[in-house]
Amino acid sequence: MQTLPIHTVLPQIISTLRRSNRLILQAPPGAGKTTVVPLALLEQEWLGKKRLIILEPRRLAARNAAARMAATLQEAVGERVGYQIKGDRNISKKTQIVVVTEGILTRMLQSDPALEDVALIIFDEFHERHLHGDLALALSLQSQSLLRDDLKILVMSATLDTQALVTLLDGAPCISSKGRAFAVKEHYLEPAVTQPRPQEIVPLVVKSVITALKEERGSILVFLPGIKEITAVASRLQEQIDPKTTLLSPLYGDMSKRAQDLAIRPTKGTQRKIVLATNIAESSLTIEGVSVVIDSGLQRVSSFDSGSGMDRLETTFISQDSATQRSGRAGRQSEGVCYRLWHRHKVLMPHSRPEILSSDLTPMALELAAWGVDTPDELQWLDLPPGKAIDHAQALLERLGALRHKRITPHGEMILKIGTHPRLAHMMLRGADLGHTREVTLLAALLGEKDIFYAEARRSSDIRERLDTLLSAYSSGTLDKSALQRVKESARDFTQRLPARRTPHPLDEPGLLLAYAYPDRIAKIRAKNDTRYLLTNGKGARLSPEDPLFDSPYLVITDLDSKERDARIYKAVPIEESTLYQHFSEQITTETITRWNSTMQRVEARQVTRLGTVVLKEQHAHEIDEESMATVLLSAIKEEGLELLSWTKEARQLSERVTFLNFHRELRPGLQKRIPPLPDLSQEALDRELDRWLRPHLIGLKSFKALQKLDLKSILTAQLTWEQQKSLDALAPSRFRVPSGSQVFLDYHDPAAPTLSVRLQELFGLTETPALIDGAIPLTIELLSPARRPMQVTKDLKSFWDNTYEEVKKELRGKYKKHYWPDDPYEAVATSKTRKQMQKDD
């Protein structure tokens, strides 16, 4: 058997697991940890008749690891080494090592939390930080702490932040192994070559492959971000390579088992192979004959936005960890070469972002509820699930009836048994209740697998086209037959998991079933012939104008990408409004909304029927609640300002008089005994406390026109007690009686300088400046000409008579000859009349 770097630390691993139930193994690519370590533990006493479970993140890696271990033992898969993945199981009574994928281990823990027949769980490639891996580790640690102190846990990774894991595992021992057995020479982009944008990577990849074919030996593994790029590169390479000497093999997760095995299998004779792969080939996988890696440096990552409930698919650069993993594929069996299609000095993130921080946590939230956990912090995590994402998940599960007050319901338990996303499981259970088992399982399979139409053949987002194709067994060149086969197999699997239901009958509207899965994505067109839709969760989405679903009044959207403000719709189906009323009546609400019509300047009420944020119907409401009207009117006043009210001269002065007294009471402590406490009637206070003083007077009013009829002075006066009103009139009267007998309105606009504006002739005989607050605050006197134009401002009337009057008289007597200009203002009779009128009176 080939000696690998991991063999040097096997004795340490064995002895450590003999005395400890927790262990961390750090071993770079090529060390052999995945297949060597489990076999080395087969003969340990503590294993006994129990099993050893290995958790692999990917199905292909799980099958491949099981096959290699079985081959090492010179046995068939299913004897001492077997595997169990979604839709495929090869295990017998003899099996002691079971390689499983993440969801399978979670199901094992849920059905038997103590894992009575398991001695060791190995978490392989844990650095990839898949969601189910984090969840399974958290559940395993609690099982070990509470139920099985003899259960052993081994966490293995090629590249890992081991210190964080040591802390999580309470100081568990950590063993490190050397890296790959063979050196890998690395090439980077030349400085003169511009780094292409993600959408421009294909030509550079093709050029690099052709260069490697000429300059290097062995097969080539090319890492690309997704199927779209794999297809584009394959199409260009087919025109430039000889198929007799070079085999072209795509490799990605949605391929059939047979096609995946073909990509991994060694070629015949001297034939070389070019494997075009996604990050499925990063770890736990040896592709025979590969000595050259061409790494685009890109990956396609789906991040979930819990605020919108939508996924966002982005093409991003890989982490340093992933770059190390990818280059290591070239040094598995001999010295190799890695072409990195980025510049040497480009900065990459050290580690990949854990899925738990950026994924839809709805399945996890249901698993936690089934485990009996209300909040994630009851378990141990390397990264605690974000609270916002958990809240969103629990809210959706409540809406689906899977949770009630964060506790799992019988319906939620049935959803878990089906083993797919809670949305799809809920849809299948409801659809089966209605007798649509066949259609609903096909729909669930369609949504859970790759699209059955090739990308270039997709003309429509309409899911009905895909469902009709499946139901009619129609076949054409536009269909991806491998995807079609997987959908059919998945649908059969779902059918077996569903309990027996009513007799099937034809389905009139697939939209109903999909609405059960996506009640938050029922959408209504915003306007006739519009491409934009409003979803029941309040978010926006848009449909291509060329899509056959264009102008559909209502849609159920199953697949969309929220990269833009309005998410792009990829898959949807129409639904009738009558169907929503019939089947979602418990979620439909009708309320009377009172609002302000700014055009009509009045309050109006509309009766609105909604499904979430989508308005199904809106009509005029004849009866309006008076309190609601007052609230809306108050809001409009706050928006427009107090100037909307009918501010008569007297009303405004009343506010200013009270403000004047409050100003001097605060400014001059000596006046506090003279001025009683008064409410704040300043414009700022009135604006701030509208609800308190104005609301009672708005009951029954609907418009600004009605608002103008309010007696604002009386409303403000009512804020004062009788005693306060008397003090106000005494200390700050609204008018002042001048010697002519006129009652002149006082101006309190400036509280520091209240003003008396009066014609000069009306003050003859007044020797002292009038004052307010019992003589404490002198008035500012604005002396007016007979034409009521300001002539002079003074706070010392006697000084004006003695020093200024003579000059004013000389200046104005010629201009205003009809008016009275006596020589002695002290002895003159005050008047508001002309000299002629005075003579007539005499």
Side-chain angles (χ1 to χ4, degrees), residues 6-7 9-10 13-14 17 23 25 27 31-42 52 54 69 97 120 122 154 156:
I6 199 69
H7 283 98
V9 295
L10 278 181
I13 293 171
I14 292 170
L17 281 175
L23 174 62
L25 174 61
K33 61 185 182 301
T34 301
T35 55
V36 173
V37 172
L39 294 178
L41 299 174
L42 264 180
L52 186 158
I54 307 174
M69 284 188 283
I97 297 176
L120 169 67
I122 299 177
L154 169 59
M156 303 195 306

Side-chain angles (χ1 to χ4, degrees), residues 13-28:
I13 293 171
I14 292 170
S15 64
T16 302
L17 281 175
R18 192 176 293 132
R19 65 177 184 270
S20 175
N21 287 340
R22 293 181 179 181
L23 174 62
I24 300 165
L25 174 61
Q26 193 272 325

Side-chain angles (χ1 to χ4, degrees), residues 105-154:
L105 177 55
T106 305
R107 295 273 56 77
M108 289 179 173
L109 283 159
Q110 291 284 20
S111 60
D112 178 16
L115 291 180
E116 295 292 353
D117 63 342
V118 176
L120 169 67
I121 305 174
I122 299 177
F123 292 84
D124 194 20
E125 306 298 352
F126 192 75
H127 73 281
E128 294 190 10
R129 298 296 308 282
H130 290 276
L131 181 62
H132 272 289
D134 277 16
L135 173 62
L137 180 58
L139 300 183
S140 299
L141 288 173
Q142 188 174 76
S143 176
Q144 186 189 61
S145 298
L146 302 179
L147 304 173
R148 283 279 312 281
D149 58 2
D150 64 324
L151 178 66
K152 296 182 184 295
I153 295 175
L154 169 59

Side-chain angles (χ1 to χ4, degrees), residues 66-67 69-81:
M69 284 188 283
T72 301
L73 295 174
Q74 297 183 333
E75 296 177 354
V77 176
E79 294 189 38
R80 278 187 289 174
V81 181

Side-chain angles (χ1 to χ4, degrees), residues 5 20 80 97 122 253 329 377 463 508 538 584 613 776 806:
S20 175
R80 278 187 289 174
I97 297 176
I122 299 177
R329 302 297 98 187
D377 56 11
I463 295 174
D508 296 327
F584 294 89
T613 59
E806 190 64 30

Side-chain angles (χ1 to χ4, degrees), residues 739 760-768 797 801 824-830:
L760 183 149
Q761 283 83 359
E762 297 198 54
L763 293 183
F764 291 150
L766 184 63
T767 59
E768 298 295 332
L797 188 59
W801 293 136
D824 185 354
Y826 291 108
E827 297 297 329
V829 177

Side-chain angles (χ1 to χ4, degrees), residues 375-393:
T375 57
D377 56 11
E378 295 178 44
L379 300 177
Q380 295 173 271
W381 305 88
L382 206 54
D383 289 286
L384 186 68
K388 188 175 180 181
I390 287 290
D391 291 343
H392 173 273

